[in-house]
Amino acid sequence: MAVRKPPITTREYWAPGHAACAGCGPAIVMKLATKAFSEAMEAKYGDPNAFAIAHATGCMEVVSGVFPYTAWKAPWVHVAFENAAAVASGVEAAWKKLGRKGKILAIGGDGGTADIGMQALSGMLERRHNAVYLMYDNEAYMNTGIQRSSSTPYGAWTTTSPPGKYSIGEDKPKKIVALIAAAHQVPYVATASIGDPLDFYRKMKKAASVDGPAFVQVLAPCVPGWRTPPEKTIEIAKLAIETGIWPLFEIENGDFHNIKFQRFPKDGKFKKPIEEYLKLQGRFKHLFKRPEAIEELKNQTKELWRILGKEVELP
Amino acid sequence: MPMRKVMKGNEAAAWAAKLAKPKVIAAFPITPSTLVPEKISEFVADGELDAEFIKVESEHSAISACVGASAAGVRTFTATASQGLALMHEILFIAAGMRLPIVMAIGNRALSAPINIWNDWQDTISERDTGWLQFYAENNQEALDLILAAFKVAEDERVLLPAMVGFDAFILTHTVEPVEIPDQEVVDEFLGEYVPKHAYLDPERPITQGALGFPAHYMEARYTVWEAMENAREVIKEVFEEFEKKFGRKYHIIEEYRTDDAEIILVTMGSLAGTVKEFVDKKREEGVKIGAAKITVYRPFPIEEIKALAKKAKVLALLEKNISFGIGGAVYTDVGRALINEKEKPIVLDFILGLGGRDVTFENLEEVVEIARKAMDEGVKEEVYWIGLRKEIL
């Protein structure tokens, strides 16, 4: 009987025994991203292990590198919160001088990327280091206990954007980090969601395969931060795509006129309402008493699509 | 044959970096050190230095890239000053805690506010608790030599700590002096290739660096930094001896100048030592029994050497271009630590001077000696003095 080749490699770099929560979205990101990297390195350099990881401070760093244990089966270095991209730049330069073939993977959460790490990220992309920056987006500072970041969506509850008599929750639209990265005209920028793991996998492989820098932003729900049951993580990440709130796209060389979309309805009409995405999450619970806030979130989502060059209808 | 060239302190630092053959340099321009990365990029552009020069977007990223490169196992160098060093502050602790022997040249400059580009030592002094070794150069030759020595000490397996070498803004960074450039082969022999056993990011043998230390391990990790700094005392002596053998120039952790039979010893660092030595010569001619001492190695602090120095004089007058508000100069507190349990100790007086590039004149030093003599004859009335302060504009 013919054995089907698994769609993703069976090699593991993210070992079991890490300390992440049950149902952790970012933990899935770590596993898939490193597997994809290894496949790309095997194809590019003939060596699946030809990569090193520079990790920003954050929940995935904390749960994976508790001395004297490690969850990493790859060379891995953590320095601080805001500088994963700068550290990756240094590692890449060192590898170049050592004649070591391979690519560097820098990993940061939304806080370590969209906020405090933005400058270092810009530097790494602008200098064209041969490194991939992976932003796992759980839409708040989850490591410190759910405070808003510039990547927190409109209306979301966090401990620093609490809904109240004079507050709807987070009151600013989510920063569009992928477009900022693409503005550096780097070879490859993509958004992904763990709700479409094979799409994410393909994008990570692509990011690792290009010559020069790449940026991937992947939506990864956080169980305690989003107030969700652990078994719903993937379902919620899927709904983010299906309701249109989380566009999946790729931009090559900063060419904003030729954005490639995935899972986009041909007629531009999303079938599932955003409410289906929101209602599974405790962080949006209060919005259902404030329909105008949900309307505002829909308008912001349409505006995001318009910026990306698509007119959409949301039910 | 060693070559003699007339050059600025910044060029001397860049030459030291070239001779040490770092594989990665990451630096950001800042006055007064800008010429260091400029000169290094010229060396790289001309193929005289085979290194990756990362043109980072900030000092924070400069030191972060150096940490990344050093963690990947290569010799690494950077340069900065003042606000740039302050911007690196957070990562300086991490570089030491991860035991990465990065070497950094610093054109010692005042800190804001008010913004000021001229010399004092507040920048490096403020980083004294980060776990970095600290050397201070008196002249451009020392800037070059101490950077080479710093690599050797930092990379010694008994130490494995990063090192900073300070040389005074403008007084050295921008002033030309004849400097002997050692032969590359001799430097190669002296330094050897850097092949770390503890820091490498090699897919063939994956390691985790920079992990999270719970209370069960954190103190022990910090203790190893303390231990390494203690080990450095002996290693520095060995390195200075070997340096003398290889290059013919002798360095001391504390250099004493005409201290035998001195009643008052003026203790200082950096380029001020040159002025002070000349002043001592003048006073000796007048029959005044004074001497000078220059602290070349400030971290680890030369506790035994200060004890020995203290036995020689009735007054130690510390001349400091830095201030720790609420107590006095940093050297003052350190000397206090060295002498606290000594049965017999001299009077220790602290003189804050030369901040933000204010010239330190012989008149200033006369005033210091006068105050010291008065304290000797009439007892100590004050311990911390600001010298050369323009009280009329306060």
Side-chain angles (χ1 to χ4, degrees):
Chain A
M1 204 172 81
V3 180
R4 245 180 81 195
K5 188 178 176 282
I8 65 173
T9 176
T10 53
R11 279 188 295 272
E12 298 283 357
Y13 296 90
W14 172 253
H18 58 75
C21 308
C24 172
I28 297 168
V29 169
M30 300 302 122
K31 193 179 179 76
L32 290 175
T34 44
K35 279 169 173 280
F37 232 80
S38 113
E39 276 208 52
M41 293 304 98
E42 188 172 34
K44 202 172 166 74
Y45 301 110
D47 177 5
N49 302 325
F51 64 101
I53 301 165
H55 213 127
T57 310
C59 43
M60 284 303 97
E61 168 269 320
V62 165
V63 302
S64 65
V66 182
F67 183 83
Y69 308 106
T70 181
W72 295 100
K73 294 181 178 177
W76 183 91
V77 60
H78 157 254
V79 179
F81 188 25
E82 66 288 8
N83 63 356
V87 174
S89 304
V91 175
E92 187 247 10
W95 275 30
K96 221 182 243 176
K97 291 327 283 180
L98 291 168
R100 195 165 275 158
K101 295 240 180 293
K103 193 145 184 158
I104 314 304
L105 171 60
I107 304 175
D110 46 297
T113 308
D115 292 345
I116 196 169
M118 181 52 87
Q119 175 186 306
L121 170 64
S122 176
M124 183 198 108
L125 296 176
E126 165 272 315
R127 291 188 301 269
R128 297 291 186 270
H129 288 281
N130 192 28
V132 176
Y133 194 101
L134 171 63
M135 168 182 172
Y136 66 93
D137 192 355
N138 52 25
E139 302 193 321
Y141 296 100
M142 300 312 187
N143 191 40
T144 43
I146 324 165
Q147 294 79 29
R148 68 82 73 175
S149 77
S150 61
S151 200
T152 298
Y154 178 84
W157 161 87
T158 72
T159 58
T160 51
S161 63
K165 201 169 160 191
Y166 299 104
S167 164
I168 190 63
E170 173 55 37
D171 61 352
K172 309 284 187 311
K174 183 179 167 76
K175 189 190 269 186
I176 317 173
V177 182
L179 295 190
I180 300 173
H184 291 77
Q185 294 179 286
V186 291
Y188 186 69
V189 168
T191 60
S193 163
I194 56 164
D196 190 341
L198 290 182
D199 177 67
F200 171 50
Y201 197 77
R202 177 184 69 77
K203 286 170 173 168
M204 279 308 291
K205 263 189 2 189
K206 175 99 190 268
S209 307
V210 298
D211 293 319
F215 175 86
V216 177
Q217 179 181 2
V218 57
L219 186 72
C222 167
V223 168
W226 292 21
R227 298 284 190 251
T228 56
E231 70 277 12
K232 294 283 184 194
T233 299
I234 296 296
E235 186 183 335
I236 291 165
K238 267 189 212 302
L239 280 167
I241 304 165
E242 291 164 355
T243 59
I245 200 165
W246 185 255
L248 296 180
F249 60 88
E250 295 166 288
I251 302 176
E252 291 181 45
N253 304 308
D255 185 355
F256 286 85
H257 298 292
N258 288 297
I259 302 178
K260 278 186 216 150
F261 294 91
Q262 294 83 31
R263 309 279 300 276
F264 184 74
K266 279 195 184 98
D267 55 2
K269 292 177 186 166
F270 284 91
K271 308 296 175 290
K272 290 185 179 169
I274 277 173
E275 285 89 338
E276 276 197 38
Y277 173 70
L278 303 180
K279 74 182 181 198
L280 290 175
Q281 307 174 46
R283 63 175 176 156
F284 293 118
K285 204 170 136 194
H286 58 284
L287 295 189
F288 289 92
K289 288 179 203 138
R290 305 275 293 271
E292 75 281 5
I294 296 180
E295 216 38 52
E296 169 61 20
L297 186 56
K298 285 185 184 177
N299 286 337
Q300 286 182 14
T301 305
K302 281 190 213 163
E303 180 59 13
L304 168 60
W305 281 103
R306 197 190 62 75
I307 290 167
L308 293 168
K310 296 277 188 192
E311 298 295 332
V312 300
E313 282 180 36
L314 302 175
Chain B
M1 278 293 286
M3 177 171 54
R4 264 174 99 76
K5 274 175 87 119
V6 174
M7 62 173 77
K8 295 175 182 170
N10 277 334
E11 290 173 283
W15 267 96
K18 176 180 184 280
L19 290 163
K21 296 181 176 170
K23 286 199 165 72
V24 174
I25 297 127
F28 189 76
I30 183 166
T31 304
S33 303
T34 305
L35 185 60
V36 182
E38 281 177 345
K39 190 78 195 160
I40 289 173
S41 39
E42 271 176 40
F43 288 140
V44 173
D46 292 338
E48 290 177 44
L49 173 60
D50 180 22
E52 279 294 310
F53 184 91
I54 311 177
K55 300 177 238 340
V56 280
E57 81 294 341
S58 72
E59 288 89 351
H60 194 284
S61 282
I63 191 65
S64 300
C66 285
V67 166
S70 192
V74 302
R75 185 172 288 159
T76 307
F77 179 81
T78 185
T80 191
S82 185
Q83 305 299 128
L85 186 62
L87 185 54
M88 293 181 177
H89 175 71
E90 179 203 19
I91 309 303
L92 299 181
F93 284 92
I94 296 172
M98 289 175 71
R99 309 294 297 278
L100 301 173
I102 300 157
V103 172
M104 171 153 58
I106 292 154
N108 283 113
R109 171 188 145 186
L111 278 160
S112 299
I115 187 169
N116 172 296
I117 57 169
W118 294 275
N119 166 241
D120 66 34
W121 311 320
Q122 195 68 55
D123 51 4
T124 46
I125 287 287
S126 299
E127 306 301 342
R128 67 180 187 261
D129 301 332
T130 53
W132 284 58
L133 305 158
Q134 287 202 0
F135 301 83
Y136 289 79
E138 182 182 331
N139 52 45
N140 294 352
Q141 183 70 61
E142 289 197 13
L144 186 148
D145 290 352
L146 289 174
I147 289 169
L148 294 180
F151 272 113
K152 179 98 173 164
V153 177
E155 290 172 4
D156 190 288
E157 282 192 19
R158 293 164 288 174
V159 180
L160 292 174
L161 287 177
M164 48 181 85
V165 178
F167 50 111
D168 290 338
F170 297 100
I171 302 168
L172 299 182
T173 58
H174 286 62
T175 305
V176 293
E177 292 180 339
V179 173
E180 188 172 300
I181 300 166
D183 285 332
Q184 184 67 61
E185 306 79 70
V186 187
V187 175
D188 290 348
E189 267 173 44
F190 176 68
L191 284 184
E193 208 193 329
Y194 172 56
V195 187
K197 291 184 192 144
H198 71 300
Y200 49 84
L201 290 171
D202 181 356
E204 298 294 309
R205 31 176 198 161
I207 52 166
T208 290
Q209 293 183 75
L212 171 69
F214 267 46
H217 295 103
Y218 180 83
M219 267 186 81
E220 284 71 19
R222 300 309 287 173
Y223 179 78
T224 64
V225 176
W226 163 267
E227 208 176 28
M229 196 57 95
E230 290 303 307
N231 293 345
R233 298 178 189 284
E234 198 50 44
V235 175
I236 291 168
K237 281 182 201 153
E238 288 172 23
V239 168
F240 280 175
E241 269 169 41
E242 199 186 332
F243 192 93
E244 189 189 6
K245 274 184 210 144
K246 288 266 187 326
F247 305 104
R249 285 182 292 278
K250 175 79 185 156
Y251 285 93
H252 303 269
I253 289 170
I254 288 190
E255 183 193 318
E256 295 188 23
Y257 186 74
R258 302 183 81 166
T259 52
D260 294 339
D261 83 332
E263 289 184 322
I264 300 165
I265 298 177
L266 306 183
V267 185
T268 192
M269 310 199 300
S271 66
L272 186 53
T275 314
V276 171
K277 284 180 199 166
E278 218 180 298
F279 177 72
V280 165
D281 287 344
K282 178 177 169 266
K283 297 307 283 178
R284 283 281 180 178
E285 275 173 34
E286 295 169 14
V288 184
K289 288 182 175 176
I290 67 167
K294 176 183 73 177
I295 299 173
T296 302
V297 182
Y298 177 66
R299 279 292 180 273
F301 190 70
I303 293 166
E304 291 308 317
E305 289 81 356
I306 288 287
K307 283 181 184 173
L309 191 70
K311 288 197 170 70
K312 294 187 171 178
K314 289 183 181 153
V315 181
L316 292 186
L318 312 178
L319 308 178
E320 304 201 59
K321 294 187 187 180
N322 73 88
I323 177 73
S324 177
F325 297 108
I327 184 158
V331 180
Y332 173 57
T333 59
D334 293 342
V335 167
R337 145 75 172 94
L339 301 182
I340 193 161
N341 288 323
E342 294 298 282
K343 280 209 178 71
E344 290 192 18
K345 48 195 153 205
I347 293 168
V348 180
L349 299 176
D350 194 30
F351 299 93
I352 309 300
L353 37 65
L355 299 189
R358 174 134 330 153
D359 207 13
V360 180
T361 64
F362 274 20
E363 287 72 43
N364 296 150
L365 300 180
E366 290 286 1
E367 196 185 338
V368 165
V369 172
E370 189 132 327
I371 293 168
R373 180 154 301 283
K374 222 169 176 184
M376 212 157 68
D377 298 342
E378 300 167 19
V380 176
K381 300 226 165 58
E382 280 180 68
E383 290 173 36
V384 181
Y385 295 86
W386 285 62
I387 299 296
L389 199 65
R390 295 178 57 202
K391 289 201 173 121
E392 71 278 10
I393 63 168
L394 285 173

